[in-house]
């Protein structure tokens, strides 16, 4: 082994104090991360019915997205996993809110490009966040599901935490609806992501 | 386990923990940079509608990563090798797993960081940090599973078995690591055992070498002492051989002195008194004769003293030949052997003169013994200088030495003289003296008479150049 320079020194109160301070700081960091990840965004009230009963052959899943929200990448990942199960039972629309400013253009954004590659989804633009407001969506990643009869079957996010992929209450609720067929069902889940519209804005 | 083995094992562990602490210092620096890069690339900003803000991930990576990294890096740089470090590093490493998993959006691939971290911690070859990291992973799952299960398992009500399942996979890795750690610790103990044995053997060998060297020095100094005594004895023996001649050599001038003194005493008792010139001539004769006796005695004293420690000195060979001849002349005359010395010789030799005189006396004695009693016997001494060497030759009127004698004559105690006349050491000691001066002594087989040739480097610088 190469020459060793450091000698073993006895542990002092300073060592233990330093270790304890560091440990407490690390715990605080851990707590902050858990708190942030598990704090959902705002959510409005989704209308109980969206379509005229019996008009549609399939249900309808609408997912509202902020074009630059980093946490919504996890929402798209979850949607990709859901698609094989719901493709035949619901028409899936990804609705990107159209915000003022060139930087915020939905078309061409990384999230838009990724969404475009998911087979069987329709991409739409929501001018002035009007459509999102109509369906009670205030946070990017908010999904609303209506069955063929136009009844609200689910409202909320598809991820378990902020930007966190994996099993989630939202995914579980939609899969449950898909498996139950025409049985009426209703689920709610928190949504994690950026605000679709500036808080306090018009 | 011997105390030395325990000491060696402790040293191994100290070095190991030092290097592992330092390795983790680098790991934490890299992880910090990675966390910041992930946050800046994937989630630099959060949005409130069209209003951007700095994403919490950036703060988490810079500040949180800093908290997790700086302290372990400080320990690696300043307090490496401390026993507490490995636990702090284990906690920080699992903290990094949480941070990186969070920054990458809970990607299942990032969960491999946990497995990699625990494997890295096994570099301490200590089960405790591995078990601490495993325990923290399990605790994180149990705690979050109980409080906010969806953040861990994505289901509303997590079964305790789910936590066990996740922990079981980590425990699965631990089994391998703990086996490897145990094996590695056993190897360290064996290494300490072998090293202790090698050290012990080396110490024994060293003690034996010291003892043998001491004995060798003692023997060598005894041999040197014996050699000195032998040299002196041989010299006195050679002197003994010449004793009768020397006594005669001194007796003759004494007779001259006594005769001249008697003449003077008688002349001053008569009238007329002797002329001042005649008296001065008698006194001059007495003085010259006394000088001659003094010269003989001086030669004897020089020749008989111990020359072991004498320094080398530049010596005129003509003077040395005269002194040696003074000791031998009367003996040669009595034995009817002619002694020829070089005339007008101007050759110098850097040597210990007493020793070279001894060589010369030995050769003259041998020559005398070989030819005395023969008709027209003679012994001739020659010397010449050429090419930085001085050559001295002693030739006698004999007709050479038989081969079987010549082969053995340089061996100690070999003699052809009758019992009580020679010691058999003369030539062997002469060879030792000559070789000690960097020279050679040989029998000249090309000469029809018996001729010994001694060749010396003229000076010590010539000797070194040779």
């Amino acid at each position: 082994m190469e020459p060793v320079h450091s000698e073993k020194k006895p542990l002092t109160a300073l060592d233990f104090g330093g270790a304890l301070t560091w440990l407490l700081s690390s715990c605080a960091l851990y707590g902050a991360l858990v708190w942030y990840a598990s704090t959902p965004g705002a959510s409005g009230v989704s209308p109980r019915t969206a379509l005229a009963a019996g008009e549609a052959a399939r249900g309808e899943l609408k997912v509202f997205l902020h074009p630059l929200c980093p946490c919504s990448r996890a929402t798209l990942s979850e949607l990709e996993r859901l698609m094989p199960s719901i493709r035949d039972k619901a028409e899936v629309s990804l609705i990107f809110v159209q915000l003022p400013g060139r930087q915020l253009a939905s078309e061409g954004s990384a999230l838009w490009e990724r969404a475009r590659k998911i087979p069987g989804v329709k991409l739409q633009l929501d001018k002035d966040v009007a459509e999102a407001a109509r369906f009670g969506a205030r946070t990017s990643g908010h999904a609303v599901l209506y069955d063929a009869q136009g009844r609200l079957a689910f409202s909320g996010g598809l991820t378990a935490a902020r930007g966190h992929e994996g099993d989630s209450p939202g995914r579980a609720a939609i899969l449950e609806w898909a498996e139950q067929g025409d049985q009426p069902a209703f689920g709610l889940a928190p949504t994690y992501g950026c605000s679709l519209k500036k808080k306090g804005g018009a | 386990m011997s105390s030395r083995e325990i000491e060696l094992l402790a040293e191994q562990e100290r070095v190991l923990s030092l290097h592992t602490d330092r390795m983790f210092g680098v790991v934490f620096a890299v992880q910090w940079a990675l966390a910041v890069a992930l946050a800046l690339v994937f989630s630099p900003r959060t949005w409130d509608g069209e209003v951007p803000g700095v994403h919490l991930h950036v703060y988490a990576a810079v500040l949180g990563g800093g908290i997790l990294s700086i302290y372990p890096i400080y320990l690696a740089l300043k307090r490496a090798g401390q026993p507490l470090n490995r636990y702090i590093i284990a906690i920080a490493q699992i903290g990094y797993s949480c941070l990186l998993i969070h920054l990458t959006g809970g990607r299942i691939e990032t969960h491999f960081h946990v497995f990699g971290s625990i494997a890295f911690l096994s570099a301490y070859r200590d089960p405790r940090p591995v078990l601490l990291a495993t325990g923290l992973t399990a605790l994180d799952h149990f705690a979050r599973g109980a409080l906010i299960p969806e953040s861990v398992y994505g289901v509303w009500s997590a079964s305790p078995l789910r936590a066990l399942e996740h922990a079981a996979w980590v425990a699965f890795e631990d089994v391998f690591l703990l086996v490897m750690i145990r094996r590695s610790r056993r190897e360290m103990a064996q290494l300490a055992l072998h090293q202790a044995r090698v050290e012990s053997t080396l110490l024994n060998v060293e003690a034996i070498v010291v003892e043998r060297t001491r004995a060798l020095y003692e023997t060598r100094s005894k041999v040197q002492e014996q050699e000195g005594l032998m040299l002196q004895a041989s010299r006195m023996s050679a002197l003994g051989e010449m004793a009768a001649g020397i006594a005669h050599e001194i007796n003759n001038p004494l007779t001259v002195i006594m005769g001249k003194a008697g003449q003077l005493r008688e002349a001053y008792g008569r009238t007329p008194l002797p002329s001042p010139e005649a008296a001065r001539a008698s006194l001059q004769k007495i003085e010259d004769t006394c000088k001659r006796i003094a010269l003989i005695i001086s030669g004897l004293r020089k020749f008989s003293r111990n020359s072991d420690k004498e320094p080398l000195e530049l010596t005129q060979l003509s003077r040395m030949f005269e002194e040696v001849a003074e000791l031998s002349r009367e003996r040669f005359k009595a034995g009817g052997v002619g002694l020829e010395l070089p005339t007008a010789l101007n050759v110098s030799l850097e040597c210990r003169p007493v020793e070279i005189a001894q060589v010369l006396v030995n050769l003259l004695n041998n020559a005398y013994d070989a030819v005395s009693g023969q008709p027209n016997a003679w012994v001739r001494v020659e010397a010449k200088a050429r090419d930085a060497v001085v050559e001295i030759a002693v030739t006698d009127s004999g007709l050479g030495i038989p081969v079987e004698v010549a082969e053995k004559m340089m061996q100690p105690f070999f003699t052809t003289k009758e019992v009580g006349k020679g010691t058999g050491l003369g030539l062997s000691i002469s060879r030792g003296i000559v070789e000690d001066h960097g020279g050679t002594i040989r029998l000249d087989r090309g000469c029809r008479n018996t001729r010994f040739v001694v060749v010396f480097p003229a000076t010590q610088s010539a000797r070194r150049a040779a």
Side-chain angles (χ1 to χ4, degrees):
Chain A
M1 283 186 183
E2 65 184 66
V4 172
H5 305 296
S6 178
E7 290 300 320
K8 204 167 186 173
K9 297 169 192 164
L11 288 172
T12 61
L14 199 66
D15 289 317
F16 284 106
L20 191 65
T21 309
W22 171 82
L23 194 62
L24 291 174
S25 310
S26 301
C27 288
L29 165 74
Y30 176 81
L33 279 181
V34 171
W35 167 81
Y36 174 75
S38 55
T39 302
S43 182
V45 179
S46 304
R48 299 302 296 256
T49 53
L51 301 168
E55 278 186 7
R58 296 189 293 171
E60 190 172 14
L61 176 69
K62 294 176 185 288
V63 184
F64 296 92
L65 296 164
H66 186 291
L68 298 179
C69 173
C71 303
S72 297
R73 280 196 291 267
T75 300
L76 289 189
S77 297
E78 290 308 311
L79 191 67
E80 281 168 345
R81 293 186 184 108
L82 276 173
M83 282 305 286
S85 306
I86 61 167
R87 168 181 294 173
D88 297 334
K89 301 197 171 174
E91 185 180 302
V92 180
S93 306
L94 297 180
I95 302 161
F96 284 81
V97 294
Q98 186 71 59
L99 295 161
R102 242 178 98 186
Q103 188 195 6
L104 291 163
S106 291
E107 286 175 293
S109 69
L111 210 58
W112 176 278
E113 289 304 315
R114 190 172 160 197
R116 222 158 50 87
K117 290 174 188 158
I118 303 172
V121 299
K122 281 201 305 184
L123 267 57
Q124 293 175 17
L125 288 171
D126 178 16
K127 280 195 175 176
D128 301 327
V129 202
E131 186 78 349
R134 191 160 76 85
F135 285 94
R138 292 190 190 167
T139 302
S140 181
H142 193 126
V144 288
L145 174 67
Y146 292 92
D147 64 13
Q149 283 73 43
R151 295 172 296 192
L152 181 66
F154 172 76
S155 175
L158 301 181
T159 59
R162 194 175 283 262
H164 206 96
E165 292 180 27
D167 291 350
S168 69
R171 186 164 85 180
I174 292 172
L175 283 174
E176 195 183 342
W177 170 81
E179 284 164 10
Q180 281 178 349
D182 293 333
Q183 296 281 324
F186 177 65
L188 273 174
T191 309
Y192 301 96
C194 298
S195 292
L196 291 173
K197 196 172 181 182
K198 189 182 172 189
K199 292 183 190 86
Chain B
M1 236 186 185
S2 70
S3 61
R4 182 59 187 151
E5 284 174 56
I6 293 168
E7 200 177 294
L8 286 168
L9 192 59
E11 177 60 14
Q12 276 187 48
E13 285 181 344
R14 192 180 73 81
V15 172
L16 179 71
S17 82
L18 200 83
H19 284 268
T20 312
D21 283 352
R22 288 180 181 164
M23 176 192 79
F24 270 108
V26 175
V27 169
F28 278 104
V30 171
Q31 288 180 148
W32 192 9
L34 178 70
V36 172
L38 279 174
L40 291 178
V41 171
F42 293 108
S43 46
R45 282 182 290 190
T46 185
W47 295 87
D48 183 14
E50 63 272 30
V51 181
V54 177
H55 201 288
L56 188 93
H57 282 183
V58 177
Y59 295 116
V62 175
L63 299 178
I67 290 170
L68 289 175
S69 289
I70 286 173
Y71 192 50
I73 290 173
Y74 162 77
L75 294 177
L77 291 176
K78 300 286 180 191
R79 310 283 285 170
Q82 297 300 318
L84 208 57
N85 294 1
R86 59 192 63 188
Y87 305 111
I88 290 167
I89 284 168
I91 295 168
Q93 197 55 32
I94 293 305
Y96 250 106
S97 291
C98 290
L99 180 65
L100 292 175
I101 288 169
H102 188 86
L103 292 177
T104 56
R107 285 169 62 83
I108 198 74
E109 290 82 357
T110 320
H111 285 72
F112 287 109
H113 187 273
V114 178
F115 294 94
S117 297
I118 293 174
F120 250 41
L121 288 167
S122 71
Y124 282 109
R125 299 187 195 181
D126 178 357
R128 290 168 297 184
V130 170
L131 293 174
L132 175 63
T134 306
L136 282 175
T137 308
L139 185 69
D140 167 78
H141 277 59
F142 278 112
R144 281 201 289 154
L147 299 171
I148 35 172
E150 67 276 19
S151 74
V152 189
Y153 314 112
V155 291
W156 289 106
S157 56
S159 156
L161 286 176
R162 193 80 184 266
L164 279 176
E165 184 193 341
H166 282 219
W169 283 111
V170 180
F172 181 66
E173 183 193 13
D174 282 2
V175 170
F176 290 101
L177 292 176
L178 294 179
V179 168
M180 293 304 291
I181 287 169
R182 194 175 163 206
R183 189 175 296 170
S184 178
R185 291 190 69 79
R186 207 178 292 152
E187 283 171 4
M188 282 167 72
Q190 280 174 350
L191 192 67
L193 172 70
H194 288 149
Q195 198 175 335
R197 279 184 186 163
V198 167
E199 281 180 6
S200 160
T201 309
L202 278 177
L203 278 176
N204 286 341
V205 169
E206 209 169 312
I208 290 169
V209 167
V210 167
E211 176 57 28
R212 293 277 193 278
T213 309
R214 194 185 57 76
L216 202 63
Y217 270 109
E218 273 179 14
T219 309
R220 203 177 110 184
S221 86
K222 276 182 189 164
V223 167
Q224 281 174 340
E225 200 178 316
Q226 292 297 322
E227 277 175 357
L229 287 173
M230 205 189 248
L231 190 71
Q232 182 71 359
S234 148
R235 195 176 299 141
M236 298 317 286
S237 166
L239 213 54
E241 284 184 41
M242 298 185 293
I246 293 166
H248 197 74
E249 188 72 14
I250 294 174
N251 200 38
N252 278 352
L254 275 177
T255 307
V256 171
I257 292 166
M258 281 166 69
K260 286 289 173 189
Q263 279 175 7
L264 278 173
R265 178 171 45 77
E266 281 176 17
Y268 277 97
R270 291 195 304 263
T271 49
L273 287 170
S275 66
E277 288 76 23
R280 196 177 292 121
S282 291
L283 287 169
Q284 184 64 50
K285 183 69 178 172
I286 288 171
E287 190 184 340
D288 289 347
T289 313
C290 281
K291 279 181 182 170
R292 185 165 147 69
I293 292 172
L295 192 66
I296 293 167
I297 289 170
S298 161
L300 270 177
R301 283 177 63 191
K302 271 191 192 171
F303 189 68
S304 60
R305 76 170 182 251
N306 194 338
S307 62
D308 277 0
K309 306 292 177 193
E310 280 191 4
L312 295 164
E313 59 183 76
L314 203 60
T315 308
Q316 271 293 334
L317 286 184
S318 57
R319 185 169 169 76
M320 183 194 288
F321 288 174
E322 276 302 323
E323 285 175 354
V324 169
E326 285 299 335
L327 296 175
S328 309
R329 200 183 302 281
E330 196 57 38
R331 185 174 174 228
F332 272 66
K333 197 196 273 183
V337 179
L339 178 59
E340 296 173 31
L341 293 179
T343 52
L345 181 67
N346 187 20
V347 175
S348 299
L349 176 67
E350 194 177 10
C351 64
R352 276 183 282 274
V354 175
E355 291 186 356
I356 302 306
Q358 183 177 354
V359 172
L360 208 57
V361 165
N362 280 334
L363 291 175
L364 285 177
N365 278 349
N366 286 349
Y368 173 83
D369 289 340
V371 299
S372 67
Q374 293 177 2
N376 300 321
W378 52 266
V379 175
R380 185 164 56 237
V381 179
E382 297 158 297
K384 60 182 176 183
R386 59 170 174 86
D387 301 336
V389 298
V390 170
E391 188 179 292
I392 299 170
V394 176
T395 315
D396 64 49
S397 54
L399 299 175
I401 295 174
V403 176
E404 62 272 19
V405 174
E407 281 172 355
K408 296 179 183 172
M409 66 188 177
M410 295 289 176
Q411 293 174 5
F413 305 108
F414 178 82
T415 182
T416 54
K417 295 177 188 175
E418 59 194 70
V419 177
K421 207 170 180 189
T423 58
L425 290 170
L427 275 179
S428 70
I429 284 179
S430 294
R431 186 172 70 170
I433 291 171
V434 171
E435 287 176 354
D436 205 32
H437 280 75
T440 57
I441 180 168
R442 64 183 169 83
L443 177 68
D444 182 1
R445 292 198 172 278
C447 181
R448 55 187 290 272
N449 295 107
T450 308
R451 186 168 188 257
F452 279 88
V453 181
V454 187
V455 180
F456 294 104
T459 58
Q460 285 306 299
S461 58
R463 179 183 174 179
R464 281 190 292 273

